[in-house]
C-alpha cells in the first residue's frame, strides 16, 4: 500500500478497463488526443499497471512494452523496455501516484530481464521524469500534436 492507494499489474479484464478509462480521461478528454490513436495493438501485449484507491476508484495507469513491441520505440534494442501511456486522474495528481506507477513499470521491466527503460515524455513533464532518474536525448518531436522528448533510465 502506498498511502491511500495500491499499485498493481492490471491482469483482470476489469483492471484493464480501469486503465483505459483513466487514459480516456487524461489523454482523450483533457488533452484532445484522438481515441483512434490512443488505443493501439500494443495494448494487447503490454504490461499494464494500475493505481487504485482503497475503495477501488482508479487513480492512474501506465504500460510497459517489451520484446519485439518495444524495439519499434527503443532503436531496435530488445534489452530496453518502453514506458508509455502514463496517466494520473486529475483528482489524484500531487499524491505521488505517477512516481509509484513509474517505479512499478521499472520493476516489471527488471522482472523481464530488461536493462533500461525508454519513454517519450511530453515536454512539460521532463522535470518529473528527470527527478526519477531519466535523461533526455535527441530533439523535440510532436506526438499527437504535443511536443515530446525521448528519455532513458538505466536500471
Amino acid at each position: 500500500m502506498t498511502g491511500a492507494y495500491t499499485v498493481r499489474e492490471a491482469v483482470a479484464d476489469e483492471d484493464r478497463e480501469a486503465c483505459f478509462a483513466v487514459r480516456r480521461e487524461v489523454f482523450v478528454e483533457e488533452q484532445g488526443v484522438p481515441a483512434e490513436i490512443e488505443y493501439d495493438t500494443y495494448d494487447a501485449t503490454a504490461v499494464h499497471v494500475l493505481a487504485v484507491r482503497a475503495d477501488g476508484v482508479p487513480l492512474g495507469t501506465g504500460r510497459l512494452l517489451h520484446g519485439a513491441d518495444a524495439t519499434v520505440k527503443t532503436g531496435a534494442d530488445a534489452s530496453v523496455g518502453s514506458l508509455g501511456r502514463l496517466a494520473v486522474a486529475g483528482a489524484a495528481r500531487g499524491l505521488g501516484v505517477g512516481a509509484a506507477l513509474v517505479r512499478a513499470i521499472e520493476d516489471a521491466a527488471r522482472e523481464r530481464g530488461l536493462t533500461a527503460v525508454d519513454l517519450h515524455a511530453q515536454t512539460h513533464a521532463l522535470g518529473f521524469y528527470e527527478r526519477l532518474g531519466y535523461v533526455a536525448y535527441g530533439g523535440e518531436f510532436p506526438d499527437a500534436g504535443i511536443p515530446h522528448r525521448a528519455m532513458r533510465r538505466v536500471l
Side-chain angles (χ1 to χ4, degrees):
M1 187 84 155
T2 307
Y5 60 90
T6 57
V7 178
R8 63 177 184 257
E9 280 193 31
V11 291
D13 287 344
E14 56 270 15
D15 282 351
R16 291 172 72 95
E17 288 305 315
C19 291
F20 297 152
V22 172
R23 285 170 48 186
R24 184 172 37 259
E25 174 191 333
V26 173
F27 296 123
V28 178
E29 294 170 12
E30 279 184 34
Q31 297 183 355
V33 174
E36 58 271 14
I37 65 171
E38 172 52 32
Y39 307 100
D40 58 28
T41 58
Y42 298 120
D43 282 327
T45 54
V47 176
H48 297 269
V49 295
L50 175 66
V52 293
R53 210 167 57 192
D55 62 2
V57 172
L59 302 177
T61 187
R63 74 177 187 186
L64 172 70
L65 303 183
H66 55 93
D69 289 349
T71 60
V72 174
K73 297 182 180 273
T74 62
D77 187 345
S79 71
V80 179
S82 178
L83 183 160
R85 303 305 202 265
L86 188 75
V88 175
R93 294 183 190 142
L95 302 176
V97 173
L101 288 164
V102 170
R103 295 306 186 217
I105 290 168
E106 292 169 349
D107 289 345
R110 282 186 199 91
E111 290 168 10
R112 286 156 180 82
L114 302 176
T115 60
V117 174
D118 269 16
L119 57 87
H120 293 164
Q122 294 182 7
T123 55
H124 73 83
L126 288 171
F128 166 77
Y129 289 111
E130 287 168 345
R131 287 188 295 278
L132 294 174
Y134 287 80
V135 177
Y137 64 90
E140 189 175 291
F141 59 92
D143 187 359
I146 301 167
H148 283 70
R149 294 265 323 267
M151 302 185 85
R152 176 172 287 186
R153 180 169 187 258
V154 175
L155 299 176

